[in-house]
Amino acid sequence: MASAFSGTREIPHDREFIREGDLPQASTLLLSGFAARSKELSNGKRQFLTIHVKGDFVDLHSFLLKKMDHGVVALTRCRIAWVPHEKLKEITERFPNLTRQLWLSTLIDAAIHREWLVSFGRRSSLANVGHLLCELYIRLSVVGETDGFQFRLPITQGELADARGMSVVHLNRAIKGLRELGLISWLGEKVEIKDWQGLVELADFDASYLRLERVNEDLAEQMKPSSI
Amino acid sequence: MASAFSGTREIPHDREFIREGDLPQASTLLLSGFAARSKELSNGKRQFLTIHVKGDFVDLHSFLLKKMDHGVVALTRCRIAWVPHEKLKEITERFPNLTRQLWLSTLIDAAIHREWLVSFGRRSSLANVGHLLCELYIRLSVVGETDGFQFRLPITQGELADARGMSVVHLNRAIKGLRELGLISWLGEKVEIKDWQGLVELADFDASYLRLERVNEDLAEQMKPSSI
DNA sequence: CGTTTACTTGAATGCTCTCAACCAGCGTGG
DNA sequence: CCACGCTGGTTGAGAGCATTCAAGTAAACG
């Protein structure tokens, strides 16, 4: 067979295309657009757990975890492809190398979770927001979605607030603070980091947790050709 | 060979036995005691990322992530065993089933991270602390370290504060609050959950993310006998 | 004993949230 | 074409939450 992926699909903006409690039979790769893993509390509050960009597996973990402990929502229109779990199982039986890369990809997700935990628990609100911008900048640049220090971030402040565990108002003021420090500019969907070094210091950002070796791209590459 | 584990060691209380930046050549299993993954900021603040109990792999992810993005500190005296990464590699080459179980174990770590993210971002301080108590209660009961609704938690409030992303004083008041609601009692190291249902509701706790199938124990079991 | 560590409490400060209002841009229907 | 309603961004104000500083208590230890 030519590819591990079994199909492709468009997801409209704002659709929660994977739901908490689901038992997916396939794992989903984000081909384009932005998505977020999301968890809701019984009081209606929402917390995002990761923001996904082009090239990310959004629920590779469901292959072994079976039941989704969170949903995945399309923050923009998204294009996705998917790999049946059966195929993943076959990969783990026959291709140890690729298996380790898939495993690694989920480990990087966990490393991102850990940085977020530090942001939520111990960073100031400016540093918290700044850290996310650093993370997104690096991840987007790896997949060729940046232009110098600029990138498109088609996400509302309400969504960003859910990604940072704060209220919209407070998030807005944090952005204002970063602007006033001359660290960033933000017009519509266009974000520009005006002072990378300054932002990195403010946010205590160290990119090494992201493993810039283009893991996900390599992954998609390996699963595409007739190697499987 | 008889076992994937290549040795055993005692770690004294309070020792950070794995450090951020390390490149471990082996992964560590906690045989007894409590440990915490820990990250420090340049301003000196500390954030714990998980609390580990008997039976947990504390740095299985270092097998593929190579470089530790956080340290691991012994909260009590600990007994550990370790598996060389070489051995893990061999396992991934020859034992797909065991490989998936190891992978799963790291996925459960990530699921715990996600619950903590929700706690930090969107739960009240009482619910945040309550949620950790629920989590620890379940995890300890799985490894036979509970007695009814009681368990030993030999961890200071300062450490608990680092695990919840709050100040000691505030953590202390949250515990006081839980006590006053009649949900728990806490004398020295003895914690008792007086009203499990009430605590679960307050904390919005759903244990399914922990995968109670005793994953880690099964794992240790499989790696012990002469199957490898 | 005297010292140390951990827990507890009070008080003041500062951070963050909610509520509320206002503005700008955009699409729609009259 | 324009008025209208909608969504998203921005700001002010007050209330409530969480932090820090400081002090006091209690148990553990040499």
Side-chain angles (χ1 to χ4, degrees), chain A residues 3 11 34 48 66 79 89 116 123 128 165 175 180 185 211 219:
Chain A
S3 164
I11 309 284
F34 288 79
F48 286 169
K66 311 291 190 228
R79 218 179 151 59
K89 175 140 197 205
W116 284 37
R123 286 195 247 260
N128 184 0
I175 291 172
E180 284 170 358
S185 78
R211 300 285 309 252
L219 243 181

Side-chain angles (χ1 to χ4, degrees), chain A residues 41-192:
Chain A
L41 292 181
S42 58
N43 62 16
K45 294 188 177 180
R46 183 169 75 159
Q47 178 63 55
F48 286 169
L49 308 162
T50 299
I51 293 186
H52 282 299
V53 304
K54 172 179 138 181
D56 290 346
F57 262 108
V58 303
D59 66 342
L60 184 48
H61 54 298
S62 72
F63 164 48
L64 294 175
L65 236 26
K66 311 291 190 228
K67 186 166 147 200
M68 287 298 294
D69 59 1
H70 60 269
V72 183
V73 52
L75 265 20
T76 62
R77 204 144 73 96
C78 288
R79 218 179 151 59
I80 61 171
W82 59 94
V83 193
H85 287 170
E86 209 175 301
K87 192 77 69 177
L88 288 171
K89 175 140 197 205
E90 199 185 320
I91 289 171
T92 62
E93 300 286 343
R94 296 174 47 204
F95 303 99
N97 211 49
L98 182 50
T99 300
R100 285 190 297 264
Q101 276 188 72
L102 289 164
W103 185 356
L104 175 57
S105 152
T106 64
L107 291 176
I108 292 171
D109 279 352
I112 293 172
H113 288 340
R114 288 192 286 273
E115 275 303 337
W116 284 37
L117 281 171
V118 176
S119 276
F120 288 18
R122 293 302 186 211
R123 286 195 247 260
S124 70
S125 60
L126 289 219
N128 184 0
V129 175
H131 197 279
L132 179 62
L133 291 178
C134 289
E135 177 190 312
L136 287 173
Y137 171 71
I138 296 286
R139 291 172 59 198
L140 288 170
S141 75
V142 168
V143 294
E145 294 278 309
T146 53
D147 174 16
F149 276 107
Q150 288 187 236
F151 55 97
R152 231 171 60 85
L153 193 57
I155 294 181
T156 70
Q157 293 194 359
E159 289 160 344
L160 250 354
D162 281 338
R164 293 294 80 182
M166 43 171 134
S167 68
V168 201
V169 173
H170 197 54
L171 176 97
N172 182 281
R173 292 198 233 263
I175 291 172
K176 187 182 174 189
L178 293 174
R179 265 199 280 251
E180 284 170 358
L181 287 172
L183 298 175
I184 63 166
S185 78
W186 197 323
L187 280 171
E189 301 182 341
K190 268 246 163 40
V191 177
E192 179 174 4

Side-chain angles (χ1 to χ4, degrees), chain A residues 39 42 46-47 64-65 69-70 92-93 96 100 103 106 113-115 121-122 161-162 166 204 211, chain B residues 39 42 46-47 64-65 69 92-93 96 100 103 106 113-115 121-122 161-162 165-166 204 211:
Chain A
K39 214 153 173 158
S42 58
R46 183 169 75 159
Q47 178 63 55
L64 294 175
L65 236 26
D69 59 1
H70 60 269
T92 62
E93 300 286 343
R100 285 190 297 264
W103 185 356
T106 64
H113 288 340
R114 288 192 286 273
E115 275 303 337
R122 293 302 186 211
D162 281 338
M166 43 171 134
D204 229 315
R211 300 285 309 252
Chain B
K39 214 153 175 160
S42 58
R46 183 169 75 159
Q47 177 64 57
L64 295 175
L65 236 26
D69 59 0
T92 61
E93 300 287 343
R100 286 190 297 264
W103 185 356
T106 64
H113 289 341
R114 288 192 286 274
E115 274 304 336
R122 295 300 186 211
D162 281 338
M166 43 171 127
D204 229 315
R211 300 283 309 249

Side-chain angles (χ1 to χ4, degrees), chain B residues 22-198:
Chain B
D22 280 358
L23 303 166
Q25 298 303 306
S27 284
T28 304
L29 182 75
L30 188 57
L31 298 176
S32 71
F34 288 79
R37 302 196 194 174
S38 161
K39 214 153 175 160
E40 257 174 67
L41 291 182
S42 58
N43 62 15
K45 293 187 177 181
R46 183 169 75 159
Q47 177 64 57
F48 287 167
L49 307 163
T50 297
I51 293 187
H52 281 299
V53 305
K54 172 178 137 183
D56 289 347
F57 262 109
V58 301
D59 65 343
L60 183 49
H61 53 301
S62 72
F63 164 48
L64 295 175
L65 236 26
K66 310 292 191 227
K67 186 165 148 203
M68 287 298 294
D69 59 0
H70 60 269
V72 183
V73 53
L75 264 20
T76 63
R77 204 143 74 95
C78 288
R79 215 178 155 62
I80 61 170
W82 59 95
V83 193
H85 286 171
E86 209 175 301
K87 192 77 67 175
L88 288 172
K89 176 141 196 205
E90 200 185 318
I91 289 171
T92 61
E93 300 287 343
R94 297 172 46 205
F95 303 99
N97 211 47
L98 183 49
T99 300
R100 286 190 297 264
Q101 274 189 73
L102 288 164
W103 185 356
L104 174 58
S105 154
T106 64
L107 292 175
I108 292 170
D109 280 352
I112 292 172
H113 289 341
R114 288 192 286 274
E115 274 304 336
W116 285 37
L117 281 171
V118 176
S119 276
F120 289 19
R122 295 300 186 211
R123 286 195 247 260
S124 70
S125 60
L126 290 220
N128 184 0
V129 175
H131 198 278
L132 179 62
L133 292 177
C134 289
E135 177 190 313
L136 287 173
Y137 171 71
I138 295 287
R139 290 172 60 199
L140 288 169
S141 76
V142 168
V143 295
E145 294 279 309
T146 52
D147 174 17
F149 277 106
Q150 288 186 236
F151 55 98
R152 232 172 58 86
L153 192 57
I155 294 181
T156 70
Q157 293 193 0
E159 290 160 343
L160 250 353
D162 281 338
R164 293 295 78 183
M166 43 171 127
S167 69
V168 200
V169 173
H170 196 53
L171 176 95
N172 182 281
R173 292 198 232 263
I175 291 172
K176 188 183 175 188
L178 293 174
R179 265 199 279 251
E180 285 170 358
L181 288 173
L183 298 175
I184 63 166
S185 78
W186 196 322
L187 281 169
E189 300 182 341
K190 269 247 164 37
V191 177
E192 179 175 3
I193 299 179
K194 310 285 267 187
D195 177 1
W196 172 254
Q197 200 47 43

